[in-house]
Amino acid sequence: MNVVRIRASLLAAALGVGLGVSLAWPAPGASQSSAWNPRSGLAVGSEEERYLRVLQLAGVSPSYPWSLRGFTPGEVHRILPRAGTGHPWSGAWRTSPDSAGADGWGWVEPEAQAIYNSAFPFGENDGPLWAGKGVTGALRGGLWARWGRGHVRVAPEAFWAQNSAFELIDLGGTGLNAYRDPWNRVIDLPQRFGAETYARVDAGSTEASVHLGPVTVGAGNAAQWWGPGSGSALVLGNNAGGFLHALVQTSTPLD
């Protein structure tokens, strides 16, 4: 089996005229270079989140509980290395850590991903994306806004999977029952998503929250991760997409 995965920030032209025009007038204080703005939020399982975890383990970022996430915007600035701290991606952040809590709005960096599976479906911690046999493509992006105690991140994603045929384990079923998983028949884990191409639009890492002194409240669809690992979660993870939920949490960790 050959698995080829390509992920890259999108240029304006790659997203068509509409997004190209929008990127031509960036949000105040934003640049058009590929970079992460800490004020836009931190998606579970993202490269930025994994990188910050490495910085924490290396003693570059402050210590902070990592077992329950995603992090709210109010928490993000607490896990960033301080301004002037040297690390490999320090020049790739649009906003300095010391101004991560400032008001503003901007684009959630557009991103494209391409996957090719030559033999059978394969994926790992891909969120709502399902990579079948053949070619799978995904697009992500959106908007964020922060004002006072509130923060909104609208970051949907869409994917299309070729979902080519491959040899299935014969379960003796017909219709959709022919595609079900042979070992886990009570969960949503089919061998193949039907006989046609498969596409979906998902709310992605969309979430809104308000900081109310000792607590932060919010709601959204962003994935959750319960467990300290970066590849395998104990309870919840981003191997599947997030689900609509509400959150109430303390604004700072409790001892």
Side-chain angles (χ1 to χ4, degrees), residues 74-96:
E75 293 177 289
V76 170
H77 77 276
R78 296 191 182 100
I79 62 176
L80 296 175
R82 296 301 91 194
T85 303
H87 57 89
W89 285 4
S90 59
W93 293 356
R94 290 181 177 172
T95 304
S96 69

Side-chain angles (χ1 to χ4, degrees), residues 31-144:
S31 68
Q32 294 186 47
S33 61
S34 296
W36 175 55
N37 189 335
R39 293 191 293 168
S40 69
L42 188 60
V44 166
S46 63
E47 285 186 347
E48 294 82 8
E49 188 195 61
R50 295 195 299 272
Y51 178 68
L52 288 172
R53 176 58 169 162
V54 171
L55 292 185
Q56 185 187 63
L57 294 175
V60 178
S61 291
S63 296
Y64 195 84
W66 204 266
S67 295
L68 294 176
R69 57 192 202 273
F71 294 119
T72 63
E75 293 177 289
V76 170
H77 77 276
R78 296 191 182 100
I79 62 176
L80 296 175
R82 296 301 91 194
T85 303
H87 57 89
W89 285 4
S90 59
W93 293 356
R94 290 181 177 172
T95 304
S96 69
D98 291 343
S99 61
D103 290 353
W105 67 275
W107 309 109
V108 176
E109 189 72 22
E111 187 179 81
Q113 183 177 11
I115 298 170
Y116 176 72
N117 290 321
S118 63
F120 53 83
F122 178 81
E124 185 177 33
N125 294 339
D126 290 327
L129 180 149
W130 185 82
K133 180 185 175 183
V135 176
T136 301
L139 295 175
R140 305 177 185 89
L143 294 166
W144 65 271

Side-chain angles (χ1 to χ4, degrees), residues 141 152-157 202-208 219-223 243-245:
V152 173
R153 173 185 170 101
V154 180
E157 60 181 279
D202 188 85
S205 58
T206 296
E207 195 164 68
N221 190 78
F243 53 89
L244 185 61
H245 63 273

